[in-house]
Amino acid sequence: MKNSFSNILRLLYVIRVLAKYDALFLVDELDQAPVALKLARKMIPLFAFGGKPDKSLRRGERLALALQALGPSFIKLGQALSVRADLLGEEITEDLGNLRDRLPAFSYEEARKTVEQELGQSLREVFVSFEREPVAAASIAQVHFAEIEETAIVVDDKGEEREEPFRRKVAVKILRPGIEKAFERDIQLFYWIADLVERFQPDLRRLRPRKIVEILEQSVSLEMDLRLEAAAASEMAENFEGDEFFSVPAIDWQRTGQRVMTQGRVEGISLSNREALIEADIDLVDLSATVIRVFLDQVLRDGFFHADMHHGNLFVTPEGKLVAVDFGIMGRMDVETRLFMAEMLYAFLTGDYKRAAEVHFEAGYVPKNKSLDAFTQACRSIGEPILGKPVNEISIGRLLVQLFQITETFEMETQPQLLLLQKTMVTAEGVAHSMNPNVNFWEVSYPTVESWMRENMGPEAKVAQIVNDGLNFAKKLPALVSQADRLLQRLEEEAASQSENPRRRQSEGGSALAPLYFIAGIAVGISATLLYLVS
């Protein structure tokens, strides 16, 4: 009861802020909302003090401003909803996609206290210099530049080795004080609202609003343990070890904990500063192609991708190498999902709408009771406008947006991993296009996609899968043979027992032994067959 009351009070405050920015359209569209919520919708705007909303702004822009004003949890909610074109429409989600995670910085004293508590040493012992003003401040954390002292082995003119100290530049990410409690309070509110939506809006249950909150909670929980972000950065660094086009700043694990992360400082130009890139004589055409290739390598080759690849998180070194930062939001895709994506996109781009529909049914994304022909028709309605465009104007992210918009008609359940991919793909395409407006996505991506499809969908891949399955089964052969031996031993014991008791043998016949013979026969037969095949 206490939680419900606090949730109601918090919801009233949220509605008041939404009213202030004229962003109550979400409540208006709930045709079966509770009476109390409808009443609050009518009354709260009367108390929405503050400046009048800018009527020239689109609905999505007004909603983004309201979420920004509501604080960290709602900024994260807005970013999560920015992939839900099926729920809010393309225009609103596009505006939410521009929602930038920026908040006023917390004080230097709070930053110092967090570092010292987390690392168990004074700030001066950990860093030889630490800038008081942060270079970036977001909803969950802020970043300070610092320096650490290390030693290197140098050889003097006489050929003798000696240690020489030097300073290494680093970036230190620090969690906001009290952020965990603030998120916990708002997450409970989001769950409460999701339950209300599922209760009073049956048509929206297929969109799984509670699942949206679960994913948000999981994502935020990962972001609030900076050791996990450090691990994500380390994993991606391993995936691209030795790559000449992309790299990840090294993690300083000795100066990293749950609430503090230390990483190598990037010496480069942000992709958000196009003029500086041009002045530095960076080849923007090559840079645009690199963004696309790196993103595809992450998605297809590794199944592990940076899910926040906007301009501010990407830098270019003086040597022209692309470097990414901020690994708080990451996406994963298993092999099956990657195969689905590759085959589905290929079917769309070759005009094979029947196959595009079939792969959705085969993946279980569309209920089996739905019409394959009707879904094929829906796929055609999406694909035909795309096929009529020049190849450099085709946006895969936009194709996915339109595909998700037909989900309601066919009662498709939301696939969170695909929604995150769609958002990231739109962002990566936007970054590439801003570097080179004439970039041909398919021309750049073809070598990467073609190579991956050949390795994972061609005859060689199928043979390799069969061999791999066979080898996995072969590992189980010793246990299988042992089990078959035990079954045969039991059969012999049963046969001996029945030979000593003819009356039992006559009454039961062979019925009790038949299943055992059958199972043993299968086990021995499979074992023999596999041994023959692998020999």
Side-chain angles (χ1 to χ4, degrees):
M1 185 67 180
K2 181 180 178 182
N3 287 339
S4 295
F5 182 71
S6 62
N7 283 333
I8 291 172
L9 290 179
R10 180 69 171 153
L11 179 60
L12 291 176
Y13 171 74
V14 171
I15 293 176
R16 179 178 176 274
V17 174
L18 290 174
K20 176 182 176 182
Y21 288 90
D22 192 20
L24 280 171
F25 55 87
L26 292 179
V27 180
D28 294 337
E29 293 176 2
L30 295 177
D31 54 333
Q32 300 179 36
V35 175
L37 185 58
K38 290 182 177 180
L39 182 62
R41 164 65 182 99
K42 299 296 183 182
M43 298 296 294
I44 293 295
L46 300 177
F47 304 94
F49 303 111
K52 293 184 178 180
D54 188 347
K55 295 292 185 180
S56 66
L57 296 177
R58 296 190 299 271
R59 295 194 305 170
E61 292 174 321
R62 299 199 302 272
L63 179 59
L65 288 173
L67 295 175
Q68 186 89 32
L70 284 166
S73 308
F74 289 85
I75 292 174
K76 291 298 179 183
L77 178 64
Q79 292 176 332
L81 290 174
S82 69
V83 303
R84 299 305 303 270
D86 57 328
L87 181 61
L88 301 177
E90 189 171 349
E91 181 182 288
I92 292 176
T93 53
E94 185 176 341
D95 289 331
L96 290 180
N98 295 325
L99 180 62
R100 284 292 166 255
D101 191 355
R102 299 192 187 99
L103 284 179
F106 53 90
S107 70
Y108 165 78
E109 287 303 318
E110 289 175 306
R112 178 190 60 77
K113 183 178 178 181
T114 300
V115 171
E116 293 180 347
Q117 287 180 342
E118 189 66 30
L119 302 183
Q121 294 176 283
S122 70
L123 191 67
R124 290 183 178 180
E125 290 177 308
V126 180
F127 303 103
V128 292
S129 71
F130 188 92
E131 295 186 8
R132 299 180 67 91
E133 295 298 321
V135 293
S139 59
I140 289 181
Q142 67 187 33
V143 178
H144 291 257
F145 281 162
E147 291 182 329
I148 60 176
E149 188 171 277
E150 294 184 338
T151 57
I153 303 298
V154 297
V155 180
D156 59 22
D157 296 338
K158 299 179 180 179
E160 296 179 353
E161 294 183 351
R162 72 172 190 277
E163 291 186 351
E164 188 170 295
F166 71 96
R167 289 189 172 190
R168 183 162 65 87
K169 296 179 179 180
V170 296
V172 185
K173 189 171 186 177
I174 306 168
L175 286 187
R176 282 185 174 275
I179 192 65
E180 294 91 344
K181 289 184 178 179
F183 267 105
E184 183 180 354
R185 178 194 63 185
D186 287 336
I187 285 293
Q188 294 308 312
L189 173 66
F190 297 158
Y191 274 122
W192 183 70
I193 294 174
D195 290 339
L196 288 178
V197 170
E198 291 190 356
R199 178 181 176 185
F200 292 100
Q201 298 291 129
D203 292 343
L204 296 181
R205 287 174 186 165
R206 67 175 186 83
L207 298 174
R208 300 190 291 180
R210 190 173 178 86
K211 185 68 175 178
I212 297 175
V213 181
E214 288 177 6
I215 294 170
L216 175 63
E217 181 180 26
Q218 181 182 12
S219 173
V220 170
S221 297
L222 292 175
E223 286 191 74
M224 287 194 294
D225 187 339
L226 295 180
R227 294 169 299 185
L228 299 179
E229 179 176 341
S234 179
E235 181 178 347
M236 184 158 284
E238 286 183 7
N239 291 342
F240 282 87
E241 186 176 2
D243 192 285
E244 59 179 313
F245 301 108
F246 180 74
S247 67
V248 175
I251 296 294
D252 185 338
W253 287 101
Q254 301 304 313
R255 296 173 177 83
T256 293
Q258 183 175 350
R259 310 193 83 250
V260 175
M261 182 182 76
T262 304
Q263 195 171 19
R265 193 189 308 180
V266 179
E267 300 289 348
I269 303 171
S270 170
L271 265 63
S272 60
N273 193 344
R274 196 171 191 275
E275 293 181 359
L277 293 172
I278 294 173
E279 289 179 5
D281 202 26
I282 300 295
D283 190 327
L284 298 188
V285 173
D286 284 350
L287 180 58
S288 175
T290 298
V291 170
I292 294 173
R293 284 196 297 263
V294 166
F295 172 69
L296 289 173
D297 277 338
Q298 291 176 15
V299 173
L300 293 178
R301 184 192 67 192
D302 305 327
F304 182 62
F305 58 94
H306 192 303
D308 200 16
M309 283 184 63
H310 61 75
H311 294 80
N313 283 340
L314 297 172
F315 295 81
V316 182
T317 66
E319 299 76 29
K321 198 168 191 175
L322 186 67
V323 182
V325 298
D326 194 354
F327 297 85
I329 306 175
M330 306 297 291
R332 289 191 186 274
M333 290 178 64
D334 57 28
V335 174
E336 289 75 16
T337 305
R338 283 179 268 166
L339 289 170
F340 161 77
M341 283 295 301
E343 192 166 7
M344 182 268 290
L345 293 176
Y346 184 77
F348 265 109
L349 293 168
T350 56
D352 189 351
Y353 305 118
K354 181 71 173 294
R355 185 58 193 152
E358 287 174 345
V359 295
H360 281 82
F361 279 83
E362 291 170 3
Y365 295 161
V366 181
K368 291 182 179 179
N369 64 333
K370 295 300 174 181
S371 167
L372 175 61
D373 291 336
F375 194 70
T376 300
Q377 184 178 349
C379 290
R380 180 179 292 275
S381 72
I382 296 170
E384 285 298 312
I386 292 175
L387 288 179
K389 289 185 176 182
V391 72
N392 63 316
E393 294 182 16
I394 296 176
S395 167
I396 298 304
R398 199 67 60 196
L399 183 152
L400 293 177
V401 168
Q402 295 176 21
L403 184 61
F404 295 150
Q405 286 177 338
I406 68 172
T407 59
E408 182 175 2
T409 305
F410 295 91
E411 299 178 3
M412 295 168 58
E413 283 199 351
T414 302
Q415 303 300 321
Q417 75 277 20
L418 296 183
L419 290 172
L420 186 59
L421 173 67
Q422 172 257 312
K423 172 182 178 285
T424 309
M425 189 171 286
V426 170
T427 303
E429 284 183 346
V431 171
H433 191 264
S434 69
M435 297 296 104
N436 175 21
N438 298 315
V439 63
N440 186 320
F441 180 89
W442 291 107
E443 186 176 287
V444 173
S445 64
Y446 179 79
T448 302
V449 176
E450 190 268 342
S451 174
W452 186 86
M453 290 183 69
R454 185 178 62 251
E455 291 176 3
N456 293 273
M457 300 177 71
E460 299 92 341
K462 293 178 180 178
V463 171
Q465 185 62 46
I466 292 172
V467 171
N468 186 60
D469 290 345
L471 290 175
N472 287 336
F473 194 87
K475 293 177 182 177
K476 301 176 183 178
L477 280 177
L480 193 61
V481 171
S482 178
Q483 185 176 6
D485 186 57
R486 288 195 299 270
L487 284 170
L488 290 172
Q489 184 177 356
R490 183 179 169 188
L491 287 172
E492 291 175 358
E493 292 173 355
E494 287 285 343
S497 175
Q498 289 190 17
S499 65
E500 295 174 1
N501 191 347
R503 183 174 298 176
R504 179 186 173 192
R505 183 176 67 249
Q506 290 174 0
S507 63
E508 296 181 356
S511 59
L513 294 177
L516 293 175
Y517 276 114
F518 181 71
I519 294 171
I522 290 177
V524 174
I526 291 176
S527 302
T529 302
L530 264 295
L531 286 171
Y532 173 76
L533 289 175
V534 299
S535 61

